[in-house]
Amino acid sequence: MTEKIKIKSKNVNVYYGQKKALDKINLEIPTNKVTALIGPSGCGKSTFLRCINRMNDTIDICRIEGKIIVDEEDIYSTEVDPVLLRAKIGMVFQKPNPFPKSIFDNVAYGPKIHGIVNSNDELEELVIYSLKKAGLFGEVKDRLNDTGTSLSGGQQQRLCIARAIAISPQIILMDEPCSALDPIATAIIEELIDELAKNFTIVIVTHSMQQAARVSQQTAFFHMGSLIEVGRTDQIFSTPSQKKTQDYITGKIG
Amino acid sequence: MKEHIVTTYDEDLNSLKSNLTKMGLNVEKQIFQAVDLIKIINISKAKEVIENDKGIDALEKKIRGFATITLSKRQPLADDLRQIIISLKISSILERIGDHASNVAGRILSVKKAPDSYSTDSVHQLGLLVLKNFSTALSSYDQESKEIAQSVPTEDITINSVYETCFREHLHLMMEDRDIIGFCTQMLFIAKELERIGDLSKVISKEVIYNLQGTLK
C-alpha cells in the first residue's frame, strides 16, 4: 500500500505480569482509512488497540516493549504526555458510557477541560457540530438538557462518538462499538464510520466478520497474541493467504 | 478439509454439493442418450430425453433455492462463499447443457430416419468426445481437482477442430448428393449443439479452478 501511514507499530510486545499478550506486532495503519482488527477472544486485538492511546498505562502489571509511532513520534517516549495524546486519539467502547450529565454537557466536557474553546458561543457551535457529525443532532436538538443516559443504546453510542469527535482527534479507536446494538442502530453507526473515515483514521475491533468486511479498507487478523495476516479487506475476506485466517473467518475448527 | 464449528453448516454445503453432482450425473446421462441417438435413431428414446429435461430444470430451481437460503443463513466468506457462488453458476450451465442435449433429441425426432447414402460417423464421434470432456469437467468439480479441470480446455481445442472437420465433411456430402441436404443440415445443427456443450464444459472447469484458486483467470 502506498497510502500515508498514521500509526506504525514496531516489534510491539505486551506483557501482563509474566504472560505475554502480544508478540512482535508490526502493523502500519493508513491515514483516513478504516482498519479492522479481528480475531478470537483473547487474541490481543483489544490490547493492541489500547496500546495506541496508552490506555494500558493504567494497568500496573502491564509492560510494553517496542515502539508505537503516531505521526513520526514514538508515543511511549518520556516526552509524551498521555493526557495530551488521548486528546488526539478518541475512543469509543463496546458499551455506550455517557457521563451522568446532560446531552450537551457530555459533548462539551472534553473541549472545556482541554481548553479548546474560548467562549460559550464557540462551545455551543462545537457541540452542535459534533452532534451533527455523529448523526445525532436531529434526534436530540430539542432535548439537549436531558441526561445522556435517557437516550436509547444506539443514540448513546452516537453520543459517545460525538463526545470523541468534539476534541477534534485525528484518530478514533473503536472497541466493538456495535456489539450491544440492534441491527438498525448498527447500520447507522456503520454509515457514520464511512462518513468519519473522510476526516479521521479509524481503528475498529469487531467480532463481526461481515461488519469488518463492510466498514474497513484494511483488516488485520490476530491469533494468540500474534499478527497472522494483514491486507486489503476484500482480499482477506475472499482469498486470505494464511490457513489460520481462512479457518477463522469461515468458522472452522482451529 | 477442516470442518465447521457449526455442523449444520457442513451439512448444508455437503447437501448443495450432492444435489449439484446429482444434477450433473443426470445431465451426463442425457448427453449419453442424445449421442447414442445419433448412431441409432430411436423415436421413443428421443421423446424420453426431451421429457427428462424437465427433471433437470427442476433440480436447477432446487439448487438455486437452497443456495439462496444458505447464503442468507450463513453469510459465508472466502472458500465457503465461492463454493456457493459456483454451485449457482454451474447449476445454470448444467441446465443449459441439458437444453442442448434435449435439442439434439428434438432434431432426431424431425429426421426420423438416416438416408442409406449417408455414410459418415463423424457427428457421433464428435458426440463421444464431447461426452467424455463433460464427464471430465464434472469429475473435476466432484473431486475438487485443479489438474483434472485444467485438462478440459485442452481437450476442447481437439473438439473444436473435430467440429470444423465435421462441418467441412458435411458440406462435401451435400454437394455430392442433393437428396441428403435436409438430413445433413439437421446433423450440422446437432454438431453445433454438441460443440456448445463442449464450450460449456470448459466454463464448468474454469469455475472449479476459480473455487480452488480464489481468482478468475
Side-chain angles (χ1 to χ4, degrees):
Chain A
M1 287 189 193
T2 52
E3 298 115 324
K4 223 175 130 209
I5 300 301
K6 185 74 180 175
I7 307 163
K8 197 183 281 183
S9 80
K10 286 187 174 168
N11 290 320
V12 170
N13 294 319
V14 176
Y15 301 85
Y16 290 118
Q18 293 298 309
K19 192 185 173 294
K20 199 171 191 182
L22 283 178
D23 186 26
K24 287 201 201 75
I25 305 299
N26 287 294
L27 179 61
E28 292 187 341
I29 292 168
T31 307
N32 292 5
K33 291 269 157 58
V34 182
T35 296
L37 310 181
I38 61 166
S41 298
C43 69
K45 57 192 187 305
S46 289
T47 298
F48 181 75
L49 193 75
R50 281 149 202 261
C51 287
I52 300 173
N53 66 350
R54 290 187 57 174
M55 265 191 42
N56 289 328
D57 287 16
T58 55
I59 303 168
D60 287 340
I61 56 161
C62 182
R63 188 160 56 83
I64 295 162
E65 293 170 355
K67 283 181 178 174
I68 291 190
I69 296 159
V70 175
D71 290 334
E72 313 297 323
E73 185 183 30
D74 180 3
I75 61 165
Y76 283 92
S77 94
T78 47
E79 290 145 35
V80 172
D81 176 355
V83 176
L84 292 179
L85 173 78
R86 284 173 209 141
K88 201 160 99 172
I89 306 176
M91 185 148 184
V92 177
F93 298 88
Q94 180 175 359
K95 220 170 148 240
N97 55 352
F99 302 134
K101 289 168 174 283
S102 72
I103 294 170
F104 185 92
D105 286 342
N106 258 281
V107 185
Y109 183 76
K112 269 195 218 159
I113 61 158
H114 286 292
I116 291 172
V117 285
N118 297 316
S119 66
N120 279 344
D121 285 353
E122 228 178 285
L123 180 65
E124 193 177 331
E125 207 175 298
L126 178 60
V127 168
I128 292 171
Y129 166 83
S130 304
L131 286 169
K132 278 185 177 164
K133 201 87 183 135
L136 187 62
F137 187 66
E139 291 161 58
V140 301
K141 62 176 188 285
D142 301 324
R143 44 194 276 219
L144 291 175
N145 292 321
D146 289 6
T147 64
T149 46
S150 67
L151 297 170
S152 73
Q155 287 173 327
Q156 285 187 20
Q157 196 61 301
R158 279 180 282 151
L159 179 62
C160 293
I161 292 173
R163 188 175 66 188
I165 296 168
I167 52 166
S168 43
Q170 296 164 19
I171 299 166
I172 301 177
L173 307 176
M174 296 182 166
D175 196 351
E176 296 181 52
C178 301
S179 61
L181 305 182
D182 70 48
I184 301 294
T186 299
I188 295 169
I189 300 277
E190 284 184 8
E191 170 70 12
L192 181 58
I193 291 172
D194 282 344
E195 181 60 31
L196 293 175
K198 290 175 189 162
N199 304 308
F200 306 98
T201 299
I202 297 174
V203 188
I204 178 171
V205 164
T206 176
H207 275 141
S208 161
M209 300 302 105
Q210 280 73 23
Q211 179 169 66
R214 286 191 298 263
V215 302
S216 72
Q217 290 80 47
Q218 174 175 268
T219 297
F221 171 58
F222 285 73
H223 186 71
M224 293 174 79
S226 297
L227 175 65
I228 305 294
E229 186 172 357
V230 59
R232 272 187 10 244
T233 296
D234 53 358
Q235 180 255 318
I236 296 280
F237 289 110
S238 57
T239 48
S241 60
Q242 300 297 315
K243 187 84 182 63
K244 272 186 187 158
T245 316
Q246 166 115 345
D247 288 346
Y248 180 69
I249 63 170
T250 57
K252 284 172 191 146
I253 295 161
Chain B
M1 189 72 80
K2 269 188 188 167
E3 289 170 350
H4 287 90
I5 296 161
V6 181
T7 49
T8 49
Y9 192 175
D10 282 326
E11 286 163 22
D12 284 353
L13 291 176
N14 289 339
S15 171
L16 195 60
K17 186 170 176 178
S18 65
N19 272 305
L20 193 66
T21 308
K22 182 182 166 196
M23 183 181 180
L25 290 172
N26 286 3
V27 171
E28 188 180 40
K29 194 176 157 206
Q30 289 283 88
I31 305 170
F32 174 81
Q33 292 190 328
V35 170
D36 208 35
L37 287 169
I38 303 166
K39 195 167 174 70
I40 307 158
I41 292 177
N42 181 320
I43 300 300
S44 68
K45 275 193 182 161
K47 283 180 179 163
E48 208 177 285
V49 170
I50 293 166
E51 186 60 27
N52 288 346
D53 192 48
K54 288 178 191 158
I56 287 166
D57 294 354
L59 266 176
E60 191 214 356
K61 286 200 187 83
K62 185 179 171 187
I63 289 166
R64 189 175 168 142
F66 197 77
T68 310
I69 289 169
T70 310
L71 280 173
S72 60
K73 246 193 336 192
R74 312 292 180 189
Q75 300 175 359
L77 287 167
D79 56 344
D80 295 336
L81 178 58
R82 286 197 296 279
Q83 199 187 322
I84 298 173
I85 289 173
I86 70 152
S87 69
L88 283 167
K89 184 100 195 254
I90 293 178
S91 63
S92 145
I93 296 168
L94 288 175
E95 190 273 330
R96 280 166 64 196
I97 293 179
D99 287 347
H100 287 299
S102 169
N103 290 348
V104 170
R107 298 277 168 198
I108 294 295
L109 279 186
S110 58
V111 297
K112 293 185 185 69
K113 191 177 173 298
D116 295 337
S117 55
Y118 181 77
S119 52
T120 178
D121 186 38
S122 61
V123 180
H124 180 243
Q125 291 302 327
L126 174 68
L128 292 176
L129 287 177
V130 165
L131 173 64
K132 185 162 165 268
N133 214 27
F134 172 80
S135 303
T136 310
L138 196 60
S139 335
S140 75
Y141 170 74
D142 187 42
Q143 296 174 36
E144 294 171 24
S145 160
K146 195 175 148 188
E147 286 70 34
I148 299 176
Q150 277 167 338
S151 71
V152 176
T154 318
E155 184 59 20
D156 193 53
I157 295 171
T158 312
I159 289 173
N160 287 338
S161 97
V162 171
Y163 169 72
E164 289 298 329
T165 312
C166 199
F167 185 80
R168 280 195 302 273
E169 186 191 21
H170 279 73
L171 283 185
H172 281 288
L173 286 174
M174 288 191 275
M175 281 189 276
E176 282 166 14
D177 184 356
R178 297 180 66 175
D179 292 342
I180 63 167
I181 287 179
F183 184 80
C184 284
T185 309
Q186 295 290 9
M187 292 312 271
L188 279 179
F189 276 126
I190 288 177
K192 188 67 199 166
E193 302 283 355
L194 295 171
E195 189 268 340
R196 289 299 302 136
I197 295 176
D199 278 351
L200 292 171
S201 305
K202 196 168 72 179
V203 183
I204 292 177
S205 74
K206 283 188 175 169
E207 292 299 320
V208 170
I209 293 171
Y210 163 68
N211 185 26
L212 297 170
Q213 284 190 165
T215 46
L216 275 174
K217 270 209 296 184

